[in-house]
């Protein structure tokens, strides 16, 4: 991730605009849900500096907790500069 990566998610009150805050967000989630892991459901697909992938959050017993998609942009150094998260409706 680029230092100034922008992360947008409808579950957040405001965009996250730096890697430090993004890491804090991930750590907070891990503390709240230690039994959940994030896994790719599909291989990332990319072209012209943009990418998409499908993900799922899985409990230790294998049950899917949530699923969704990420879309984003990368810079010329292949670092993520924008990441937009969507959660699938159940």
């Amino acid at each position: 991730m680029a230092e100034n990566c922008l992360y947008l998610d409808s579950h957040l009150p405001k965009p996250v605009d730096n890697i430090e805050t993004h890491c804090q967000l991930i750590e907070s989630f891990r503390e709240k849900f230690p039994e959940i892991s994030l896994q790719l459901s599909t291989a990332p697909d990319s072209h012209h500096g943009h990418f998409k992938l499908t993900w799922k959050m899985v409990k230790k017993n294998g049950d899917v907790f949530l699923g969704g998609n990420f879309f984003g942009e990368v810079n010329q150094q292949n670092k993520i500069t924008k990441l937009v998260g969507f959660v699938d409706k159940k």
Side-chain angles (χ1 to χ4, degrees), residues 43-53 70-74 78:
D45 188 15
S46 65
H47 65 87
H48 298 98
H50 296 84
F51 67 91
K52 67 177 184 171
L53 59 92
F70 283 130
F71 299 89
E73 299 175 2
V74 295
N78 263 348

Side-chain angles (χ1 to χ4, degrees), residues 70-83:
F70 283 130
F71 299 89
E73 299 175 2
V74 295
N75 61 20
Q76 290 183 347
Q77 292 77 36
N78 263 348
K79 291 191 176 196
I80 299 171
T81 57
K82 184 184 285 183
L83 185 62

